[in-house]
Amino acid sequence: MSYKFRLQKVLDVKEKAEDNKKNEVYIVNKELLKANEQLQELKLELTQKGIEREEKNKEGISIIEIVQLNKYIDYLCSLIKNKEIEICELNKKLEIKKEEYIESRKERKSYENLKDKDYARYMIKEAKEEEKIIDEIVSFSSRKL
């Protein structure tokens, strides 16, 4: 008789749920990294436009160009603020996904512990049955002699 865990299907579902949560953490983390890269690019462009504005002010620039450059710099600032808000939300989302992953991992481990204990009981039972059979063989052999 081979061992079969009676809750194996539940354990399989828990393992699949854990994998799904792990993938969700990976996806949100990837989104967060991308958002951080975009933020750095925006900040770099803002710095470059600030330097460009200073240089053009020294050279002499028309009012229209100053207004356009200032509007673009304001636009970059608003993009940066929006990106920072997005990053904050992604950080919160990542923490939630991590907690969900940890919880699903705990559930899977509890079922694995049940499986281990059940298997240990099964092995003890098998050993006792084997011992019983050996005792019967020995007692049968001693009766024949």
Side-chain angles (χ1 to χ4, degrees):
M1 184 166 129
S2 66
Y3 172 73
K4 186 156 186 157
F5 182 48
R6 60 188 167 91
L7 298 174
Q8 186 61 47
K9 288 183 182 180
V10 175
L11 178 59
D12 293 342
V13 168
K14 296 296 180 184
E15 287 173 347
K16 194 168 211 167
E18 181 185 357
D19 287 342
N20 288 339
K21 295 296 178 187
K22 188 176 183 181
N23 287 336
E24 288 174 8
V25 168
Y26 173 77
I27 289 168
V28 173
N29 197 33
K30 196 171 181 181
E31 289 174 12
L32 183 60
L33 289 173
K34 184 178 178 182
N36 277 318
E37 286 175 8
Q38 291 170 343
L39 178 64
Q40 294 307 315
E41 289 171 5
L42 288 170
K43 285 182 177 182
L44 179 64
E45 188 172 354
L46 179 64
T47 303
Q48 290 171 344
K49 291 299 176 184
I51 292 169
E52 181 182 329
R53 179 174 58 184
E54 292 298 316
E55 289 174 355
K56 286 189 176 189
N57 278 339
K58 288 177 186 174
E59 296 171 359
I61 184 173
S62 72
I63 302 272
I64 294 172
E65 287 180 283
I66 290 175
V67 169
Q68 287 176 338
L69 197 53
N70 284 339
K71 282 184 180 180
Y72 186 69
I73 288 173
D74 290 342
Y75 173 72
L76 285 175
C77 288
S78 69
L79 285 179
I80 289 171
K81 286 178 186 176
N82 290 339
K83 194 55 72 174
E84 287 172 341
I85 291 169
E86 179 186 342
I87 288 171
C88 185
E89 290 171 358
L90 283 171
N91 276 321
K92 289 175 186 175
K93 187 177 179 181
L94 181 62
E95 288 305 312
I96 290 168
K97 294 297 179 186
K98 282 181 180 180
E99 289 297 321
E100 290 174 356
Y101 169 67
I102 289 169
E103 189 60 37
S104 67
R105 195 168 152 194
K106 285 179 185 176
E107 288 178 14
R108 179 195 47 88
K109 284 193 177 249
S110 68
Y111 278 95
E112 282 185 351
N113 288 339
L114 283 174
K115 183 178 181 178
D116 292 344
K117 289 176 184 177
D118 190 52
Y119 183 71
R121 284 192 295 267
Y122 169 79
M123 292 305 290
I124 290 170
K125 181 181 172 188
E126 285 291 310
K128 285 181 181 179
E129 287 180 20
E130 204 173 289
E131 193 175 302
K132 186 177 175 183
I133 292 171
I134 291 171
D135 286 345
E136 287 176 7
I137 292 172
V138 169
S139 66
F140 181 74
S141 299
S142 57
R143 278 192 240 152
K144 280 190 166 184
L145 294 173

